[in-house]
Amino acid sequence: MSLSILVTGGAGFVGSHTVLELLNAGHRVICVDNLCNAFGAVDAKLPESLKRVQELTGKNVTFYDVDIRDKNGLREVFKKHQIDCVAHFAALKAVGESCRIPLQYYQNNITGTSVLLEVMAESNVFKFVYSSSATVYGEPQKLPLDEKHPTGNCTNPYGKSKYFTEEILKDLCESDPRWSVISLRYFNPVGAHKSGRIGEDPNGEPNNLMPYISQVAVGRRPCLKVFGNNYDTPDGTGVRDYIHIVDLAEGHVCALDKLARGDLKGFVVYNLGTGCGYSVLDVVEAFSKASGKEVKYEIVDRRPGDVATSYADVTLAAKELGWKAKRGLKEMCEDTWNWQRLNPNGFSGAN
Amino acid sequence: MSLSILVTGGAGFVGSHTVLELLNAGHRVICVDNLCNAFGAVDAKLPESLKRVQELTGKNVTFYDVDIRDKNGLREVFKKHQIDCVAHFAALKAVGESCRIPLQYYQNNITGTSVLLEVMAESNVFKFVYSSSATVYGEPQKLPLDEKHPTGNCTNPYGKSKYFTEEILKDLCESDPRWSVISLRYFNPVGAHKSGRIGEDPNGEPNNLMPYISQVAVGRRPCLKVFGNNYDTPDGTGVRDYIHIVDLAEGHVCALDKLARGDLKGFVVYNLGTGCGYSVLDVVEAFSKASGKEVKYEIVDRRPGDVATSYADVTLAAKELGWKAKRGLKEMCEDTWNWQRLNPNGFSGAN
């Protein structure tokens, strides 16, 4: 079944990789993005990431430079296109920044989502895939984290905005049986498309481990900061469940297919992870091997709000979405390095 | 010290009583209200409740028919007036309705508050009193409920919108030391101004006990529904901490004075209640006595989400705000009845 899918935040890291997989699966994609974190806003006909997605797939992406808080802008898009489902990636996502400018996070992530949902309902579109995060689990009470683990107790505005939005979606589905919503709780997305043409391109100092490592390896930054080596983990550094971005994107294709088939009602949640935990030093070592570069690091203080260990129970997504991550840490590192090596300055050195 | 106070939702029950006490205390009041729940929207120069506040006080209220989600509308108000503090009452507040139309609750209560905060910051106004609720405590883990009791686990969108907004305010205060915010957690506001000129005037079937009882007593409704008599309470009906609306309004005057004095930084929370719990049947009996009317009732099923017992620990507000509720259940019932008797159809039978 070929669907028309509206992708918000389609120019971003997860968005662009998902757009690519959706196009490859034969779907039509309409993107909206305010380009606040994307390169290519200058000509604005198409951000660089989506230009490359078009090149890679040989297919067209319809793009609108629209902010999801702009109700009339969204209405225009829904008027022009018959949309089957919405995949909602548009959000601010830097934990540290969210503590400095919380209102902007709440407005982008909560108000923005709520405007989008309102316009969807007006347009009789009730199928929605939400870009959530393992951060909604707060401090793990048991591992692996399954979908029944309590949510809340998030320690920063970014995490709260994801948790609050899930609650809003749950309430919405309970209020109106026409909605079907899948919330995908991402663990730690890394890697890049095999081509090295699209990848993660954070503004400024990266918040996440893998882009930081790869910027050190490519010589853009002198040294990785490892936040604490006295956690209760095998080597003392934090353990996370890294997932290859292409696996993550495929998870979205499965979720959208499930919604389109109509065999799901109400609000449902799936973890997207591999189920394996790797420490910071594991990743550093794997990346060094994959890149042939030394990755200098220094141990610094713990970061407030970081947990020792987090990894997913992935059985539910396997059972109900028919989806499983296929790519391991080695491939995550190789593909990250390939992207970084070919694009040492991200999309801004566009070629 | 005479202050200029912006009151949002000033036409409503808590808003109008607070405006009255603020005027009596010598402050200047600027109101904004979208009149979605207020009578008097037709001529819209001034809603009926605020007309009467002017009569009762002999002072003027400046009024704007502005929705708090309307950023430009709010900006105009802040341009025209030098505001010292904001008391924020504007919100939707019916629990049952919030389950039916959750998005509207989240947009009014969360988006609305966040737009207001943004415009305040632009205008260099950083003193804020928030209209919160004991509902943020969820199911009580111990009684009385003090301000350190955990929050969250709210069972309906109304309650969640109050809880989420408190979290947003907390994050905002942590991000920027210029803010000082007092969140007042109301227990169950009832009663009316002694004059009987202003009071609670719910649209449609009342959600709360006291207005329901008084509409039965005055003959507008045949019979009170008591939701469950098998709770673990002395008479089996739910026990709540009712607080006289004039006491509540005085609590706001104290909170605004404290903010204006500048002896508070960051986010602080106070319970506003009496510390006494009364059962549904206690209130029915007290109201019958006060009104001389029989109040017919029938026992029906429990309402989902209702807790058995809730009452406040009120020591913190006494200590830090110098405020204490002075009016007991008898006066709450007498004043409610006086208002109801003089205004059997609320403000819509305006005289």
Side-chain angles (χ1 to χ4, degrees), chain A residues 41-83:
Chain A
V42 182
D43 95 3
K45 281 217 179 137
L46 206 60
E48 183 64 25
S49 58
L50 292 177
K51 252 185 225 166
R52 296 188 183 185
V53 166
Q54 290 196 158
E55 288 164 18
L56 289 165
T57 58
K59 298 186 181 175
N60 278 324
V61 175
T62 308
F63 177 78
Y64 295 96
D65 179 2
V66 165
D67 187 299
I68 51 164
R69 290 164 296 177
D70 170 8
K71 199 185 287 185
N72 290 324
L74 279 183
R75 279 180 175 145
E76 287 302 308
V77 175
F78 278 87
K79 254 184 226 158
K80 278 192 196 140
H81 301 275
Q82 178 66 48
I83 308 283

Side-chain angles (χ1 to χ4, degrees), chain B residues 26-325:
Chain B
H27 300 302
R28 294 173 301 283
V29 174
I30 299 101
C31 276
V32 301
D33 198 303
N34 69 0
L35 300 173
C36 73
N37 276 323
F39 184 78
V42 182
D43 96 0
K45 282 219 177 132
L46 206 57
E48 183 63 26
S49 59
L50 292 177
K51 250 186 228 168
R52 296 188 184 185
V53 166
Q54 290 196 160
E55 288 163 18
L56 289 165
T57 58
K59 299 185 180 175
N60 278 323
V61 175
T62 307
F63 178 78
Y64 296 97
D65 179 1
V66 166
D67 188 298
I68 51 164
R69 290 164 296 177
D70 169 10
K71 199 185 287 185
N72 290 325
L74 279 182
R75 280 179 174 147
E76 287 302 308
V77 175
F78 278 87
K79 254 183 227 160
K80 277 191 198 143
H81 301 275
Q82 178 66 47
I83 308 283
D84 297 306
C85 309
V86 174
H88 175 41
F89 301 100
L92 298 177
K93 63 168 187 178
V95 169
E97 186 183 60
S98 80
C99 298
R100 288 193 301 277
I101 50 170
L103 268 193
Q104 289 186 47
Y105 271 70
Y106 289 116
Q107 291 188 349
N108 271 278
N109 297 6
I110 298 185
T111 298
T113 303
S114 115
V115 171
L116 173 62
L117 294 166
E118 190 188 349
V119 175
M120 284 179 65
E122 283 174 13
S123 315
N124 269 301
V125 181
F126 294 99
K127 296 182 197 303
F128 190 72
V129 173
Y130 179 60
S131 183
S132 188
S133 165
T135 192
V136 302
Y137 293 120
E139 173 97 35
Q141 292 167 20
K142 69 184 255 295
L143 291 165
L145 289 156
D146 66 27
E147 288 83 352
K148 288 182 184 142
H149 186 284
T151 55
N153 292 314
C154 302
T155 53
N156 58 71
Y158 163 72
K160 288 183 197 174
S161 76
K162 290 285 156 182
Y163 165 60
F164 294 171
T165 303
E166 279 202 357
E167 292 295 308
I168 292 170
L169 290 167
K170 207 183 294 176
D171 292 334
L172 182 63
C173 289
E174 274 172 29
S175 76
D176 185 337
R178 290 174 298 177
W179 283 97
S180 47
V181 173
I182 294 179
S183 182
L184 297 175
R185 294 183 180 152
Y186 307 163
F187 281 67
N188 294 66
V190 297
H193 187 255
K194 195 58 79 185
S195 65
R197 294 290 290 160
I198 57 173
E200 187 167 13
D201 184 21
N203 282 337
E205 192 173 353
N207 292 282
N208 299 323
L209 178 63
M210 190 71 92
Y212 211 113
I213 290 181
S214 77
Q215 291 192 8
V216 172
V218 86
R220 267 174 77 180
R221 302 197 178 264
C223 182
L224 171 71
K225 280 179 274 190
V226 176
F227 298 104
N229 66 348
N230 54 358
Y231 284 104
D232 183 17
T233 59
D235 65 21
T237 65
V239 168
R240 295 291 179 275
D241 183 339
Y242 296 94
I243 172 172
H244 195 292
I245 188 68
V246 177
D247 280 322
L248 194 81
E250 289 172 356
H252 288 78
V253 177
C254 294
L256 287 158
D257 283 344
K258 190 175 176 71
L259 286 182
R261 283 196 304 272
D263 50 336
L264 181 149
K265 285 286 159 207
F267 179 74
V268 184
V269 171
Y270 300 108
N271 286 337
L272 295 186
T274 64
C276 305
Y278 291 103
S279 76
V280 175
L281 299 183
D282 289 338
V283 179
V284 168
E285 195 192 326
F287 199 92
S288 293
K289 252 187 220 157
S291 63
K293 301 278 174 187
E294 191 195 2
V295 178
K296 278 192 190 157
Y297 66 87
E298 53 169 348
I299 308 294
V300 299
D301 284 348
R302 291 183 180 195
R303 223 166 26 175
D306 277 352
V307 303
T309 303
S310 169
Y311 56 93
D313 183 320
V314 294
T315 48
L316 193 65
K319 195 177 143 204
E320 299 192 2
L321 290 181
W323 169 89
K324 231 180 149 165

